[in-house]
Every structure is written in structure tokens, then in C-alpha cells.
Amino acid sequence: MLSEVKLVTLGVSDLERALSFYSQALGYRLQARGEVDPALAPLWRFDPTLRGRWAVIAADDSGLGRIRLLQFDAPGQRLWHAGNLYNGSGYYALNFRCRDALATMQAVTAAGGSSAHEPSYWEVSEQVAVRDSINDDPDGIRLDVFSYERGGELRGALETEVSVVQTIAIATRDVARSVAFYQALGFETLFDRVLDFPELQALLGTDRPVKIHNVNLIKDGHIVPGRVEMFAYLEMEHLPDAPLRDAAVPPNIGILSASLRSDDLDADVARVLTLGGQLIARQTLDLPGLGPCAVATLFGPDGEQLELYQPQ
């Protein structure tokens, strides 16, 4: 059985700058760091002649919703840009709960990130309403921060100013296919809505009015951190597909993978493959931030890279 998303990997252009940013903006602390072992190349799809460094940061010591930062000694390209905003597919953003979305947005910009707009109010459901702000870190990696206006008690107490990673968002051209894949891995629908409220363009920072289909999935129906979110821009079907699969590799800049813990790697790999996933590589080694593990990396339905690991 697979866990929720335990860790996400970000390719960054400057590791020290990224460590400083996430510390100042989100309060994330360094937990471990080291050199990238070339033996990881088949799993992570990078040129083994490159040299890299990694660091794992976290909001707390729970082991939930952590971030692994990677920097290599070759320049990389940003995965997302104006040319693939509406038709790209792959990991798009990370989502964080905070006590005050405006204060967190201000901390992001003060630390060297950017924000398109002050937090927007929107109603997730009859019970839940939030203020939500879309921001970018210094490398343009999208960070969605929100605070509850009502209904926060339904998600439990917030122990830190900014939470562990709540969701990893996947841009898709086929929401139903992606949802079915993750439901088969034990995720359940938390909400499923078409969003087209007036403030959506300002919230997302788009150059035109937009409508999106948004689905949020929660592991086993109750594990709040480490959720998976799918979204698709509607009425953009005329645009050709622009998958990030081949570009989402080191040393490029953006969200590269999501890591889920397995209690039976052979069975979980077999299950992902029967659901249409594609195996990249399998190895047993010391996995940065996670220790000695049997590891498999695979592609999900939108070309997103999943890292499944079983501690040894």
C-alpha cells in the first residue's frame, strides 16, 4: 500500500538562495543535505557526469509534506512559461495552509519571491471558505498559500505559521483519467468543482478570463497533508498537448517528482503498471533525505514522475 505524498522534489538554480527563501518566507528548516550520488541518475533521469547537491527542508519534524531541493552544476530551464500555461501537463504547484494568507504573501515577496495579486476570497464549499494567494519562489516555482475564513476546524489545528506541503497540483488535459489513477492508489475525492468565479483570473494571474475543473484528492479519506490535486483549463481543447514529461529532469527548474512510501514495493509497482504507469528505473540505495531504500520511479498518467520508496 502506498502512503500520501511524503516529499516533493524541486529543481532549483541556486541551492543556498532557495534555502534562504524557504526559511524566510515559509519558516521551513534544513533537515539534511549532501552531494547527489551519480548512482541516482537512472532513477532521476539526469546525466551522471553532472554534479549536484541536495537539501531536505520541512516545516516541522512530523515527516510529512517535506521538500527536497536539487541544484546541479549545469544551467537549467524553467518548466513552466507563457507558452505552455494553458496546455502543459505535469506537476504545476505546491499548496500550503497558513495562518494569514496576506502575511505569508508579504513574506514571500520580502524573501525574493513574487505574487500576482493579494489573496482572493472564494468558497470551497458551503462549510469552507478561504483566502488564497498564488505566488512564485525566486525560480518561478508556483506556491499556492491559503488561510481559512471558515471551516478550518474541519482540517485540524495548524501547529506552525505555514503548514507542511498540503497538496501537489497536477495540470492535466484529462481530469477523469488522472482522478481514476489516483483513486486506484487509495486517494478519495475531497472536492470536485468547476471554478469560474469572477476573481479567478486575478487569483491565477492569467492574461484572460478562465474556467478550470479542479479536483482535490485526500489519501484514505482523512490524511490531510500530502494530497493530490488535478486541474485543467476548460475551453482550451484547441491547443495542442504540451507535456512536461521529458523536460522535468535535472538540471531543469520546477517540480520534478513526488515521493510516496510503500510497504510492499513489488506489489505497488505492479499496481501502478496495471493502471497504465510506466517504469523508469528500480534500485536499492541511500535515497537523499530518506535513507536506505528500495526505490522505483515511474510515470503517472500525465507524465508526472512518482518516486515510490520502501525503507530497508
Side-chain angles (χ1 to χ4, degrees), residues 7-16 18-19 22 32-37 40-41 43-46 51-57 67-74 76 137 139 141 248-257 259 287-289 305 307:
L7 179 147
V8 298
T9 297
L10 309 183
V12 300
S13 62
D14 184 327
L15 183 62
E16 300 308 320
L19 287 169
Y22 282 96
R33 66 186 302 166
E35 302 290 322
V36 175
D37 186 342
L40 288 159
L43 291 167
W44 289 359
R45 300 186 293 148
F46 66 87
R51 296 181 60 190
R53 298 182 296 144
W54 62 269
V56 170
I57 57 175
I67 297 174
R68 180 198 286 143
L69 303 169
L70 295 181
Q71 180 199 343
F72 282 76
D73 64 353
D137 79 357
D139 280 309
I141 298 171
V249 296
N252 288 338
I253 309 303
I255 304 172
L256 302 181
S257 67
S259 302
L287 192 57
Q305 184 165 316
E307 180 179 80

Side-chain angles (χ1 to χ4, degrees), residues 215-288:
V215 182
N216 199 297
L217 302 177
I218 185 169
K219 188 67 171 69
D220 298 333
H222 69 277
I223 301 174
V224 173
R227 303 194 303 275
V228 179
E229 178 181 356
M230 289 86 196
F231 81 96
Y233 286 103
L234 302 180
E235 302 172 1
M236 300 289 181
E237 293 82 0
H238 61 287
L239 298 175
D241 290 346
L244 300 183
R245 169 176 162 157
D246 293 338
V249 296
N252 288 338
I253 309 303
I255 304 172
L256 302 181
S257 67
S259 302
L260 295 80
R261 179 172 173 147
S262 170
D263 58 13
D264 185 339
L265 189 63
D266 289 338
D268 287 327
V269 168
R271 183 165 186 78
V272 171
L273 294 177
T274 64
L275 295 171
Q278 295 179 313
L279 182 66
I280 299 169
R282 287 191 65 165
Q283 288 180 261
T284 299
L285 42 60
D286 195 33
L287 192 57

Side-chain angles (χ1 to χ4, degrees), residues 85-86 92 122 175 191-197 200-201 203-204 206 209-215 229-236:
L85 177 61
Y86 299 112
Y92 178 74
W122 68 283
V175 172
F191 70 83
D192 181 345
R193 287 185 58 189
V194 171
L195 304 178
D196 61 351
F197 52 88
L200 188 60
Q201 179 180 358
L203 173 63
L204 297 177
T206 59
V210 291
K211 180 189 300 184
I212 63 172
H213 186 184
N214 186 231
V215 182
E229 178 181 356
M230 289 86 196
F231 81 96
Y233 286 103
L234 302 180
E235 302 172 1
M236 300 289 181

Side-chain angles (χ1 to χ4, degrees), residues 101-103 105 117-121 131-133 145 203:
L102 178 59
M105 183 208 78
H117 194 271
E118 289 195 356
S120 299
Y121 174 88
R131 290 206 178 273
D132 199 346
S133 174
V145 301
L203 173 63

Side-chain angles (χ1 to χ4, degrees), residues 106-127:
Q106 292 169 339
V108 165
T109 56
S114 60
S115 179
H117 194 271
E118 289 195 356
S120 299
Y121 174 88
W122 68 283
E123 296 185 346
V124 179
S125 66
E126 291 183 359
Q127 296 80 29

